[in-house]
Amino acid sequence: MTKPHEIDVYEPVEGELPKEKFDELEAFINSLESTDGALIEILHKAQNLFGYLPRDVQLFVARKLGIPGAEVFGVVSFYSYFTTEPRGKHTISVCMGTACFVRGSDKILEKLKEKLQVQVNEITEDGLFTLKDIRCVGACGLAPVIMIDDKVYGRVKEEELDGILDTYR
Amino acid sequence: MATRSNILVCGGTGCLASESDKVIKNLELIIKARGYENEARVIRTGCFGFCEKGPIVKIEPDNVFYVMVGPKDAKDIVDEHIIKGRTVDRLLYREPKANEIINRQEDMPFYKKQLRVALRNCGLINPEDILEYIAFGGYEALGKALTSMTRDQVVDEVKRSGLRGRGGGGFPTGIKWEVTKKQDDNEKFIICNADEGDPGAFMDRSILEGDPHSVIEAMAIGGYAIGASKGIIYIRAEYPLAISRLNTALNQAREQGLLGKNIFGSDFSFDINIKYGAGAFVCGEETALINSCTGKRGEPNYKPPYPAEKGYWGHPTCVNNVETFANIPQIITRGADWFASIGTEKSKGTKVFALAGKVKNVGLVEVPMGITFREIIFDIGGGIQGGRKFKAVQTGGPSGGVITEQYLDTPIDYDSLISIGSMMGSGGMIVMDETDNMVKIAKFYLEFTMDESCGRCTPCRIGTKRMYEILDKITSGKGTMADIDALKQLAYMVKGSSLCGLGQTAPNPVISTLKHFWEEYMAFIKDVDNPRGEGRHIAKNKIKFATEK
């Protein structure tokens, strides 16, 4: 299997991404006992650091591991947890699990799209919110559920949305 | 230090969302302020299951069960109950039918018919303290297996218990262990599948949050039985609380020498790593899961070879689900005969269901196999919300079908569910009432499988997409009878020719709603007047062919 390459570590071109984060990512990769099978783990770390996985980060990982960039992109695009777009300051996740769906989460999602003027996986104009739909939070007793960052709001009603959003504005 | 009272507060995800952490904080503050630290202790437990009425607080040894406790109620619980010994009546559960107050957990209709094996410690012990697990008989099974049983005896015990995989397929666990054990290889692996992807099922999460040691202990037992010294828990990255408790538990087990070298003085060594998923439903399929563990795209492989022969990095690998593992320690300590005495002829033991949707008591319930839907939905679940009428219940999530009123008295087990057009799945049970439109439900599930199809095989990748498009056309009022025919034909084609379980079961929601709720499809179709067009005739023959194989 692949081993970390010593050669030409990729230098980010656009220069917008902070170098110290690349250094931290590099240190993390070097600290692994073996990089065999560790690609997903490394991408989790990278997304934690940068907030998302832009092309430069993917290529950096590819060069470090000595694998084609396409292989990294293949993994990034396969898993819904990984995102190649920057996120807003807060992430609003609307649970679209079945329990929430039958209790009207689709209407909550529509209302949020309307209020924030975005589609799913888009960022609001002021950069404050990203709207997402997720599968199941596991809080089915409180359906319908939305999550803002790590905070769960249960039994959400359409008319409560403004109040909830205002606490983040 | 032993205290006079233990205040158990639910720290599961559902109750935490209703501020149970604040309840805990307030209880601790008030107990301290009253100088009762030596008298009462607050314990954060795993999920009690009764999520509808959360946050739950239980006082031991008084055996009083409080529901919907808010942060402000902490004062009354301490001042009235702990100090003065008077129960706080307004926080007790009120049974809606008879309108009477019930203060003991076992008298509540929600718990009366339950039998807790896999969830035995959830809501009872502090999951972050290995000593509490040990005090309730934990690691006794591992000790018994390692010191007094041969590997064959362990496999045989699990085989005789009749335990079947709780993740969905229902494959006999003992046989899986036996096949993996038989392989001739120095390196074998045992993997715990904690990639709970069925939207609306959260039992694996609750077990890992409420009783992580039961899974760790079972994996060590399994490792001993099949000859694996390494275990992997593959868990969703979206479950931060479960991951943190699992890490705590693993570290404590290592400190106590229950993981590591020469466990219980035997020559058996075992340790467990955690691998994180990244959000892909198909990774619940074992070959896809193994691919994901090696850092690749989580696409399934052709079977055979089965993982038991050639799995993780090409070595024999046994993959079991969280709930399956949670049953193992009890089977070893209490014996296969005890376990086999619960349940039906071909499905032994209990099953955890996540009861959700339009039912009054949403929550996690564990019941013996063979119980009926009516008992779960109407006795345990308290019936339908808002006095509306029951319409259907969906089991097996996106892979299952809808079950209608005529089957409410069917005893639930793996085989009976398949015979009525659904499946056990991981145990999601979504109840729907008369206001739910079943065509839209089918469309909802198809949207899910279409999104989650990994794209490896054509029938699933394109078939689910086309089916979704047809359903979308129908629900927007533009469908014709020809669309229904095409939908049916596609459904059987995708079912019959997909590579893995995801595609093979994806059409189930469509097939079962077409069967039971034909009139709801017809209500969307424009040319109702011409229900027997030519297309229908052709489709009928094709379906016959597809089902005959």
Side-chain angles (χ1 to χ4, degrees):
Chain A
M1 289 305 290
T2 48
K3 291 275 173 237
H5 271 213
E6 297 300 325
I7 47 156
D8 61 325
V9 167
Y10 181 76
E11 290 294 334
V13 198
E14 282 148 49
E16 299 227 332
L17 299 157
K19 186 175 179 303
E20 59 273 16
K21 291 196 172 166
F22 280 104
D23 292 343
E24 200 180 332
L25 182 59
E26 186 168 15
F28 173 79
I29 297 173
N30 290 338
S31 75
L32 294 173
E33 232 169 79
S34 152
T35 54
D36 282 355
L39 179 56
I40 291 177
E41 196 181 341
I42 292 165
L43 291 174
H44 271 298
K45 177 74 185 179
Q47 185 159 305
N48 260 336
L49 284 169
F50 294 93
Y52 67 116
L53 297 169
R55 187 172 170 272
D56 282 349
V57 173
Q58 293 178 38
L59 283 173
F60 180 84
V61 171
R63 299 290 190 275
K64 273 301 280 181
L65 299 182
I67 56 175
E71 198 176 321
V72 176
F73 179 71
V75 169
V76 169
S77 58
F78 184 84
Y79 295 98
S80 63
Y81 193 79
F82 296 133
T83 167
T84 54
E85 298 294 328
R87 292 244 177 102
K89 194 171 166 211
H90 302 288
T91 304
I92 305 175
S93 312
V94 181
C95 182
M96 290 296 276
T98 325
C100 286
F101 178 77
V102 298
R103 287 197 187 176
S105 65
D106 50 338
K107 292 185 193 87
I108 300 281
L109 184 64
E110 286 307 316
K111 207 81 201 169
L112 279 169
K113 281 187 195 167
E114 193 186 305
K115 281 187 194 300
L116 300 170
Q117 289 290 309
V118 288
Q119 293 300 310
V120 168
N121 289 326
E122 282 181 5
I123 188 167
T124 51
E125 223 176 71
D126 55 8
L128 205 52
F129 298 110
T130 295
L131 184 64
K132 278 185 67 184
D133 56 347
I134 54 167
R135 285 310 176 197
C136 185
V137 188
C140 307
L142 304 172
V145 167
I146 69 169
M147 245 169 99
I148 301 188
D149 301 330
D150 284 337
K151 169 122 177 91
V152 177
Y153 294 87
R155 299 195 176 102
V156 179
K157 296 189 186 71
E158 285 177 40
E159 55 271 23
E160 293 170 357
L161 291 172
D162 281 323
I164 295 174
L165 291 178
D166 281 344
T167 56
Y168 293 87
R169 279 187 169 132
Chain B
M1 183 179 47
T3 46
R4 187 168 54 89
S5 299
N6 287 327
I7 307 176
L8 312 178
V9 185
C10 178
T13 295
C15 285
L16 277 177
S18 328
E19 305 192 310
S20 75
D21 48 343
K22 283 190 189 153
V23 174
I24 295 177
K25 214 170 177 186
N26 285 357
L27 282 169
E28 280 169 346
L29 284 173
I30 297 166
I31 288 171
K32 200 162 174 227
R34 304 287 187 267
Y36 263 63
E37 294 107 309
N38 296 337
E39 300 288 326
R41 189 166 67 120
V42 184
I43 299 168
R44 182 161 121 162
T45 70
C47 181
F48 278 82
F50 202 1
C51 305
E52 184 75 37
K53 296 285 176 197
I56 307 284
V57 172
K58 192 178 176 187
I59 318 278
E60 291 284 6
D62 311 9
N63 195 13
V64 173
F65 196 88
Y66 291 129
V67 295
M68 299 183 93
V69 180
K72 285 181 187 151
D73 298 319
K75 189 170 165 290
D76 279 355
I77 291 180
V78 177
D79 288 346
E80 288 295 310
H81 191 129
I82 303 297
I83 298 179
K84 293 182 186 153
R86 290 197 288 243
T87 52
V88 187
D89 287 354
R90 68 182 167 84
L91 296 175
L92 290 170
Y93 177 69
R94 190 177 278 274
E95 208 282 305
K97 273 180 203 146
N99 198 21
E100 57 181 12
I101 287 175
I102 300 175
N103 54 5
R104 294 183 348 142
Q105 185 176 356
E106 51 273 33
D107 295 337
M108 294 163 54
F110 182 77
Y111 287 104
K112 233 182 211 169
K113 289 197 168 172
Q114 292 200 44
L115 176 65
R116 299 191 137 210
V117 179
L119 297 177
R120 64 195 174 277
N121 287 327
C122 291
L124 185 66
I125 64 167
N126 174 0
E128 301 192 352
D129 185 354
I130 191 171
L131 297 179
E132 289 202 13
Y133 180 68
I134 293 172
F136 282 89
Y139 289 102
E140 209 178 297
L142 180 60
K144 183 179 170 186
L146 291 183
T147 55
S148 70
M149 293 168 84
T150 64
R151 293 168 54 198
D152 282 317
Q153 280 172 330
V154 176
V155 171
D156 190 54
E157 199 72 16
V158 176
K159 245 173 95 179
R160 281 200 306 116
S161 74
L163 177 65
R164 294 170 66 173
R166 298 292 193 244
F171 190 83
T173 308
I175 295 185
K176 221 178 206 181
W177 285 20
E178 189 177 42
V179 175
T180 322
K181 180 184 173 292
K182 272 189 192 152
Q183 304 299 316
D184 187 23
D185 196 325
N186 290 332
E187 190 143 44
K188 294 180 190 175
F189 294 93
I190 187 156
I191 296 184
C192 172
N193 181 351
D195 187 52
E196 190 166 49
D198 174 2
F202 51 102
M203 58 283 299
D204 294 349
R205 162 182 212 148
S206 287
I207 292 170
L208 291 170
E209 284 177 4
D211 193 17
H213 285 288
S214 67
V215 175
I216 295 170
E217 181 180 9
M219 286 181 74
I221 295 168
Y224 169 70
I226 66 169
S229 59
K230 284 186 192 133
I232 294 168
I233 298 176
Y234 181 85
I235 185 168
R236 290 178 75 183
E238 292 92 331
Y239 280 1
L241 183 63
I243 292 171
S244 120
R245 290 198 179 150
L246 208 44
N247 273 315
T248 307
L250 286 171
N251 286 333
Q252 289 176 348
R254 287 184 195 118
E255 277 163 28
Q256 300 284 337
L258 295 163
L259 285 178
K261 289 206 157 58
N262 303 105
I263 302 169
F264 282 101
S266 68
D267 55 8
F268 174 65
S269 302
F270 187 75
D271 209 337
I272 296 174
N273 273 331
I274 298 184
K275 292 257 182 193
Y276 304 107
F281 178 66
V282 70
C283 288
E285 201 280 339
E286 52 185 7
T287 58
L289 183 150
I290 290 170
N291 281 332
S292 183
C293 280
T294 58
K296 295 199 196 80
R297 287 163 68 94
E299 290 173 352
N301 292 347
Y302 288 98
K303 294 194 270 192
Y306 289 91
E309 300 148 7
K310 213 165 175 250
Y312 188 59
W313 296 124
H315 296 289
T317 304
C318 179
V319 185
N320 292 127
N321 157 274
V322 172
E323 191 191 330
T324 313
F325 275 127
N327 280 295
I328 298 280
Q330 293 280 293
I331 291 173
I332 300 296
T333 37
R334 300 175 80 167
D337 295 332
W338 162 78
F339 191 82
S341 71
I342 308 164
T344 64
E345 196 198 333
K346 285 187 176 158
S347 302
K348 301 298 186 190
T350 58
K351 177 77 191 88
V352 183
F353 289 101
L355 188 59
K358 301 287 179 64
V359 70
K360 273 186 193 146
N361 300 334
V362 169
L364 210 55
V365 303
E366 182 170 357
V367 287
M369 297 273 191
I371 195 170
T372 65
F373 283 104
R374 193 181 298 281
E375 286 173 282
I376 294 185
I377 297 168
F378 290 92
D379 296 345
I380 296 174
I384 308 298
Q385 281 183 341
R388 285 189 293 268
K389 209 171 154 278
F390 169 86
K391 187 183 222 174
V393 54
Q394 166 98 8
T395 64
S399 307
V402 290
I403 290 154
T404 50
E405 195 161 6
Q406 67 190 108
Y407 300 114
L408 275 179
D409 293 307
T410 308
I412 300 171
D413 68 16
Y414 288 98
D415 313 290
S416 70
L417 284 181
I418 288 174
S419 73
I420 58 176
S422 186
M423 66 182 281
M424 183 71 83
S426 55
M429 197 177 267
I430 309 284
V431 180
M432 294 162 220
D433 70 19
E434 54 191 330
T435 62
D436 289 307
N437 183 291
M438 303 313 284
V439 186
K440 287 187 177 161
I441 297 284
K443 182 182 145 195
F444 167 82
Y445 280 118
L446 251 294
E447 186 181 5
F448 178 88
T449 36
M450 175 186 74
D451 267 4
E452 295 294 342
S453 172
C454 76
R456 169 122 195 229
C457 71
T458 320
C460 177
R461 182 181 68 241
I462 299 176
T464 53
K465 172 103 178 140
R466 291 289 102 88
M467 285 171 74
Y468 173 76
E469 286 167 356
I470 295 173
L471 284 166
D472 192 46
K473 190 177 167 194
I474 293 173
T475 51
S476 52
K478 295 175 193 144
T480 62
M481 283 312 292
D483 290 316
I484 299 266
D485 292 338
L487 184 65
K488 267 190 180 174
Q489 208 176 337
L490 269 170
Y492 285 101
M493 191 274 296
V494 172
K495 196 176 168 68
S497 53
S498 290
L499 171 61
C500 80
L502 191 152
Q504 288 160 10
T505 57
N508 283 350
V510 173
I511 294 171
S512 73
T513 47
L514 273 172
K515 184 175 167 199
H516 296 298
F517 297 98
W518 176 255
E519 67 289 353
E520 292 193 18
Y521 280 87
M522 286 306 106
F524 281 113
I525 299 287
K526 279 181 175 165
D527 58 349
V528 188
D529 297 330
N530 181 25
R532 293 208 172 268
E534 198 188 2
R536 181 179 163 82
H537 180 68
I538 295 167
K540 233 181 178 174
N541 291 336
K542 288 261 167 75
I543 290 163
K544 211 172 158 200
F545 173 71
T547 46
E548 267 167 8
K549 78 170 180 69

